Each structure stands twice: as C-alpha cells, then as structure tokens.
C-alpha cells in the first residue's frame, strides 16, 4: 500500500500544484520520483513529528494542500495535540497519512503498533477518517481526501496486502463499497481486514450462510444508510478491524446502533483486545491470536447466532 | 513609519485597555499581556506589512501570537490598528461573543492562528514560510512566544528545522519576562542562556530591552543577512510592565485587578479616562 501511496501522490502532485508532501524521516527511496519531479514540494521533516504536523497546518492556512506521512503511531498518537488544535480546530485541509497501521509492524512491538488511532481521531470535529482496503483503494482515497474542504486521516497498511479489488473502485467518502452480496450475514471490513472479512464469508458459505461483505473505508462520517439496511435485513452484522474493540469501527457502529429504537440483529465486533501484544511475532500470528482470520471471524459469527437464537 | 514617541503612547493606550478588560471580564494573564505590548506595537506599527482593509491578502506578512494567553493585548492592538471596531472589545469573554480568552482563527480579522496551547505558533509559522517560498510570495512571518513556552519540545523541533531550510523570512520574538505561571522560568527549567541556545540551533539571535521601542524596531526590521539564518529576538521584558504595583510581581499572572487598581493603573499609564 505504501508503494501505491507513493505512486498516487506523485500522479496527483503533477495535476495539482498545491500538493506538498511532508515525510517524517521515513520512506527511504520511496519518494525519489516525487522529489525529482517536485523538489520544492517535498520536505523530509526529520524525526520531529510535532513540527511536521504544525507546519502542515501553516501550509494549508496559506492555501496549499499538505500531506503528512510517517509510521502510523508517529503520524497520529504521538502528535495528537497538533492534530486536534493545529489541524482540526483550524479546520484546514491537511491529509494525515499513517503507514503500517494496526499490526502491520507486528514484529517491531507495541511501540510501532497502532490499534487506538481511529478511536482517538474520530473524536475530533472536522476530521474525516478513511481506511482503504487495499492498494487499489489508495489512489481513489487520496483523491477523495483532496476533494474535501477540511482535514482527513488516511490509514494505510504497509506492503503486500492481498488485493480485494481487480481495479480501482468508485470511492465516495461516507459510502461503503459492497464487495459481494449475501442474504444472511453482513460483514463490515475496515481497511486491510476487508480481505479477512471476504475469507470469513467463504467460510460461512461452506456452512450454509450467505454473507454480504462491505469495505467500510470511511469510519467518519459513517454510511448510515448502509448500516440501516444491514441491521434491517440480516440475521447478524459483524465488524472486522485491525484496531482495538474500544473506539474503532465496531464502537462507531455500536454508538450508532444505541441511538436507534427497536430490536436489531446481534452486532459481532471482531478487533484487537484491550491489551498490548508484547510478545514477538508476525502479523499473521498476532491476527490468529486476536481471532482476526477468516475461520475465526466466521466462528465468532456462528457462535453469536447460536447464542442469540 | 510612526515615530517612537507615538508608538509609546499607543502602547500606553493598549495597556490601559488591557487592564480594564481583565477587570471587567475577570480574566487572568494580565502580567503576561502587559509584558509583550511593546513587542506587539513595534511589530504592528513597524515592519509588519498588513492592510486592515485587506486582511486576507495572500501577500501579507503573518503575525502569530503563540503565547495566546496574552490575547487581550492582541485584540486591542488589532482594534487600534483598524482591523475591527473597538466597540467589539466590550464583548470580550462574554457568552456567545467573538473574543474568547485565547484567540481563535479569524475570530476577528487579523488573527492568523488559533493559539492558547503553547509551542504551536512557530511550527505553523514555518509552514507559512515554506508556503511563501513555494508560492513565490514576499511574505515574512513574525511569531511572539513566551519564555515559559520555550520549555515545549515542539519549539526546539521547529528551531532545528528552520535553519536547515534557510527560512530567513521568519522572525521570532521571545517575551523574556523571567516568569512563568508558578515560578521563575530560569529556575523551573534550565532556560538560560536562552539566546545562546537559539544561536547553537543555527539562529541569528539578538538580545534587546523589550521595552526599548527603537531597539525592538531595529531588531525586527533588519533584513535577512543572506546567511539563511532565521532571526530570533530575545526581548528582555518585565512582567506587568507599565503598572508599578504589577511589575515583576508574579501574582499578576492570575490576579484580577479591582476597580481601584484599574483607576490607579490608568493614571500611571497616563490614560485616566475609563473607556468601558
């Protein structure tokens, strides 16, 4: 996904001379083409994310369209006050891009994990939160963010994520993308876990349950129409995300659901636990531990259906 | 450019109004507001190229009050400079009013950034400086910070970045009044020697008496020397400057003046007639 980001931002910068790319001493050689083509619009801001984020606000206040880019926890939770005050309070069109989100950097340990970013950032007024599912959604997500009058956060994986789209999809902020249709279960995948939701749908199918899968790339603002439809006609609704069960898409959906009247099918929230994963291990190992694989998600859904019958 | 004596009288008027506003609205930070008035006046009536009739002209210079808790001084200076009707000052800190205790972005014309949390103004100004370079605009950026604010890490991140990019359109003023909210700024943190710190970070640092209008004007008006070094003016000031019983008394960080104290302050400032 980070290669897709580098390619997309370079293309966009050729079309829009307001784009400025700020990087926090990351992406060695990743932005060589961007730097060669637009030397006055790329700045390596060093290991100084607070300054980078504040500068982005200053650039945007002057009419430019800055993107900040570094590893997710350093692009987000390290500089939460700069995001809140300089970007969101000023309501300026800065795009914050976090790479290696969730457990992408599993083996680097919890300092490099980010399973709280969405929960914290979606509290901030004016901020749009986008979680593209794969490389094909990255370019459209950047373009969509550029079309917004205010700030956006884009949560990326790292590299080698499975492709869930054959070609770049139509990407509209606040509108989930239906990946496959179904009639019994609705699975909302957030970001790179759309691939896991698709795997879970296959598992469910083998067990006689037909599942719709949605790439819920916009966590804020929520696609309320799609949610209302899902809770209106499916036997169970599940959210699958590489983010804490506190604060992420599952929480956002639960908050929305709690404000509605009437009975509704069960909401199954599959995410990372309220704990730091301090053991060494690969992303796949950690996903297995958190129940974030196709079979594990399918099992959670089936168990919940059984319990609520 | 307005003569120094005239600037001194503008500063006295601003101080008197600031004292009055603190009393009426019962808001703190009076000492911090009074210490930076001369720096504000030197900038707004000096090198800052702004036009109150065109407050959003893209080629304008930018001024950021990074020590947002001195908002009253900024509000009065902007009103005096013609950015808005001074009558609006009467609504300071009232329910639903446009003028909170810390300034919001464009809450009145002329406010270039929302401040209040310390250590934010300089990074924002550096972004504006980069933008001016990219857009090939002549703008300069002026940032007024407090000495206590220099304890924020983000200040030093910015201090390292600006010389690396030769952002010499930036001028920082530090209102070095030697106090922060709860004590001496050189004792709570090892702030001194402040100018040397900035110099070591690659800045063109000068020290001035922050109440010597001519000296401040000279320090902030000097054109970049071609070295690419941004300029920092370490302005030695007195907290509560202009009112004898407030000067260098840190109780006035939070204390609210009563009616009698306002009257005495106004007389000392040569502005006996109350405006509010």
């Amino acid at each position: 996904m980070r290669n897709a980001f580098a390619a997309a931002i370079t293309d966009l910068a050729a079309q829009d001379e307001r784009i400025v790319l700020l990087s926090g001493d990351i992406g060695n050689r990743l932005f060589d083409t961007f730097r060669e083509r637009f030397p006055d619009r790329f700045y390596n801001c060093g290991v100084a994310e607070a300054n980078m984020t504040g500068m982005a606000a200053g650039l945007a206040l002057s009419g430019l369209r800055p993107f900040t880019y570094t590893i997710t926890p350093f692009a987000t939770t390290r500089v939460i006050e700069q995001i809140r005050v300089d970007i969101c309070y000023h309501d300026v069109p800065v795009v914050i891009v976090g790479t290696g989100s969730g457990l992408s950097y599993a083996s680097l340990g919890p300092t490099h994990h980010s399973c709280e970013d969405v929960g914290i950032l979606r509290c901030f007024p004016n901020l749009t939160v986008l979680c593209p599912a794969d490389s094909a959604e990255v370019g459209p997500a950047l373009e969509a963010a550029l079309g917004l009058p205010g700030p956006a956060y884009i949560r990326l994986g790292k590299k080698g994520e499975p492709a869930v789209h054959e070609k770049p999809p139509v990407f509209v902020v606040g509108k989930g993308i239906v990946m496959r249709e179904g009639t019994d279960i609705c699975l909302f995948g957030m970001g790179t876990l759309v691939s896991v939701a698709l795997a879970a749908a296959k598992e469910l199918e083998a067990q006689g349950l037909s599942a719709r899968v949605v790439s819920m790339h916009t966590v804020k603002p929520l696609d309320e129409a799609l949610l209302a439809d899902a809770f209106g006609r499916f036997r169970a609704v599940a959210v699958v995300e590489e983010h804490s069960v506190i604060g992420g898409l599952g929480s956002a959906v639960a908050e929305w659901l709690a404000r509605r009247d009437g009975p509704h099918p069960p909401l199954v929230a599959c995410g990372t636990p309220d704990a730091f994963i301090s053991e060494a291990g690969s992303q796949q190992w950690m996903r297995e531990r958190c129940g974030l694989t196709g079979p594990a998600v399918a099992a959670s859904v089936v168990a919940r259906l059984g319990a609520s019958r | 450019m307005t003569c120094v004596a005239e600037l001194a009288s503008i500063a006295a008027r601003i101080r008197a109004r600031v004292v009055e506003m603190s009393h009426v609205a019962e808001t703190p930070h009076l000492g911090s507001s009074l210490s930076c008035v001369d720096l504000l006046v030197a900038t707004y009536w000096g090198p800052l190229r702004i036009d109150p009739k065109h407050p959003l002209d893209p080629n304008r210079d930018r001024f950021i009050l990074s020590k947002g808790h001195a908002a009253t001084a900024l509000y009065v200076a902007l009103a005096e400079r013609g950015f808005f009707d001074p009558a609006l000052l009467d609504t300071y800190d009232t329910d639903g009013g446009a003028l909170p205790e810390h300034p919001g972005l464009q809450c009145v014309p002329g406010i270039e950034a929302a401040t209040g949390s310390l250590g934010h103004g300089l990074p924002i100004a550096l972004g504006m400086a980069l933008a001016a370079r990219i857009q090939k605009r002549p703008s300069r950026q002026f940032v007024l910070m407090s000495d206590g604010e220099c304890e924020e890490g983000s200040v030093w991140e910015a201090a390292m970045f600006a010389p690396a990019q030769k952002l010499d359109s930036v001028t920082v003023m530090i209102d070095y009044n030697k106090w922060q909210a709860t004590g001496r700024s050189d004792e709570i943190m090892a702030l001194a020697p402040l100018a040397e710190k900035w110099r070591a970070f690659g800045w063109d640092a000068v020290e001035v008496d922050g109440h010597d209008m001519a000296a401040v004007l000279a320090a902030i008006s000097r054109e970049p020397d071609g070295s690419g070094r941004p300029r920092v003016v370490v302005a030695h000031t007195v907290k509560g400057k202009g009112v004898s019983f407030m000067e260098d008394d840190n109780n006035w960080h939070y204390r609210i003046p009563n009616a009698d104290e306002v009257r005495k302050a106004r007389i000392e400032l040569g502005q006996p007639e109350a405006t509010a």
Side-chain angles (χ1 to χ4, degrees), chain A residues 20 22 40-41 43-45 47-52 54-55 57-59 61-64 81-82 85-86 89-90, chain B residues 62 102-105 112-114 117-120 122-124 126-128 130-131 133-136 154 157-158 161 165:
Chain A
V20 181
L22 306 179
D40 63 331
R41 291 194 276 146
Y43 296 92
N44 183 343
C45 299
V47 193
E49 297 84 2
N51 181 55
M52 174 171 76
M55 289 201 305
L59 284 157
L61 283 167
S62 302
L64 296 176
E81 208 204 36
Q82 276 72 24
V85 175
D86 302 349
Y89 179 32
H90 285 82
Chain B
R62 308 299 203 276
H102 293 107
L105 175 65
E112 301 282 5
S117 177
L118 298 174
H120 288 251
L122 184 54
I124 291 173
L126 297 190
M128 292 170 168
L130 280 180
R133 176 175 291 177
I134 294 166
Q135 298 166 322
K136 299 184 170 56
S154 54
E157 289 188 8
F161 183 86
Q165 291 291 341

Side-chain angles (χ1 to χ4, degrees), chain B residues 170-248:
Chain B
V170 174
T171 298
V172 166
M173 288 168 277
I174 299 174
D175 177 13
Y176 197 3
N177 64 29
K178 320 297 186 296
W179 286 107
Q180 56 195 88
T182 61
R184 284 284 182 197
S185 53
D186 285 333
E187 291 171 5
I188 291 172
M189 296 284 261
L191 205 60
L194 192 52
E196 277 179 46
K197 282 191 174 67
W198 285 89
R199 221 165 271 140
F201 275 68
W203 289 63
D204 173 20
V206 292
E207 297 190 67
V208 298
D209 172 348
H211 303 303
D212 179 339
M213 201 66 83
V216 174
L217 271 173
I220 62 176
S221 300
R222 204 174 80 174
E223 290 296 316
D225 63 5
S227 66
R229 288 178 304 164
R231 163 147 289 207
V232 59
V233 177
V234 177
H236 294 276
T237 57
V238 175
K239 199 158 179 172
K241 177 70 179 180
V243 181
S244 61
F245 55 92
M246 295 181 187
E247 286 190 358
D248 205 35

Side-chain angles (χ1 to χ4, degrees), chain B residues 4-251:
Chain B
V4 166
E6 224 172 301
L7 296 188
S9 97
I10 294 169
R13 265 205 315 276
I14 292 176
R15 284 193 165 94
R17 192 76 176 91
V18 162
V19 172
E20 208 170 53
M21 285 165 74
S22 169
H23 166 71
V24 172
E26 300 183 354
T27 60
H29 300 134
L30 184 48
S32 318
S33 300
L34 292 174
S35 67
C36 68
V37 168
D38 299 314
L39 299 173
L40 273 170
V41 170
T43 311
Y44 272 100
W45 278 263
L48 192 71
R49 286 167 309 173
I50 36 113
D51 178 358
K53 288 193 187 67
H54 302 97
L56 296 176
D57 179 345
N59 287 321
R60 72 193 184 278
D61 288 347
R62 308 299 203 276
F63 174 86
I64 296 177
L65 180 73
S66 196
K67 48 172 290 184
H69 54 289
T72 50
L74 178 62
Y75 293 152
V76 181
L78 286 172
E80 281 271 341
R81 193 68 177 73
F83 278 87
F84 58 89
D85 183 351
L88 197 60
L89 295 172
D90 296 339
T91 68
Y92 167 64
D93 203 36
T94 52
D95 291 347
L99 302 173
E101 283 182 51
H102 293 107
L105 175 65
Q106 302 294 339
C107 68
V108 281
I111 308 272
E112 301 282 5
T115 52
S117 177
L118 298 174
H120 288 251
L122 184 54
I124 291 173
L126 297 190
M128 292 170 168
L130 280 180
R133 176 175 291 177
I134 294 166
Q135 298 166 322
K136 299 184 170 56
R137 297 190 190 279
S139 309
R140 291 178 68 188
Q141 302 77 30
F142 295 83
V143 183
L144 176 51
M145 304 196 317
S146 77
D147 49 352
E149 181 172 7
C150 291
E151 295 165 11
E152 292 283 4
S154 54
V155 169
W156 300 102
E157 289 188 8
M160 265 185 277
F161 183 86
Q165 291 291 341
K166 301 194 187 319
L167 293 177
D168 59 7
S169 61
V170 174
T171 298
V172 166
M173 288 168 277
I174 299 174
D175 177 13
Y176 197 3
N177 64 29
K178 320 297 186 296
W179 286 107
Q180 56 195 88
T182 61
R184 284 284 182 197
S185 53
D186 285 333
E187 291 171 5
I188 291 172
M189 296 284 261
L191 205 60
L194 192 52
E196 277 179 46
K197 282 191 174 67
W198 285 89
R199 221 165 271 140
F201 275 68
W203 289 63
D204 173 20
V206 292
E207 297 190 67
V208 298
D209 172 348
H211 303 303
D212 179 339
M213 201 66 83
V216 174
L217 271 173
I220 62 176
S221 300
R222 204 174 80 174
E223 290 296 316
D225 63 5
S227 66
R229 288 178 304 164
R231 163 147 289 207
V232 59
V233 177
V234 177
H236 294 276
T237 57
V238 175
K239 199 158 179 172
K241 177 70 179 180
V243 181
S244 61
F245 55 92
M246 295 181 187
E247 286 190 358
D248 205 35
D249 175 357
N250 208 37
N251 284 316

Side-chain angles (χ1 to χ4, degrees), chain A residues 153-178:
Chain A
Y153 166 50
I154 299 183
R155 186 181 204 251
L156 300 181
K158 192 175 58 171
K159 63 172 184 177
E161 291 81 12
V164 297
H165 297 282
E166 284 173 9
K167 56 181 174 49
V170 174
F171 189 106
V172 180
V173 171
K175 295 285 171 210
I177 300 171
V178 177

Side-chain angles (χ1 to χ4, degrees), chain A residues 243-295:
Chain A
H243 186 283
S244 172
V245 291
I246 298 177
L249 178 61
S251 288
V253 171
E255 289 159 15
W256 173 85
L257 197 57
R259 287 192 291 266
R260 278 165 52 98
D261 298 323
H264 58 79
L267 168 64
V268 184
C270 303
T272 61
D274 179 22
F276 293 107
I277 304 173
S278 54
E279 296 92 334
S282 68
Q283 184 177 22
Q284 187 54 31
W285 179 81
M286 288 186 188
R287 283 185 180 181
E288 283 165 17
R289 219 187 101 161
C290 300
L292 292 173
T293 62

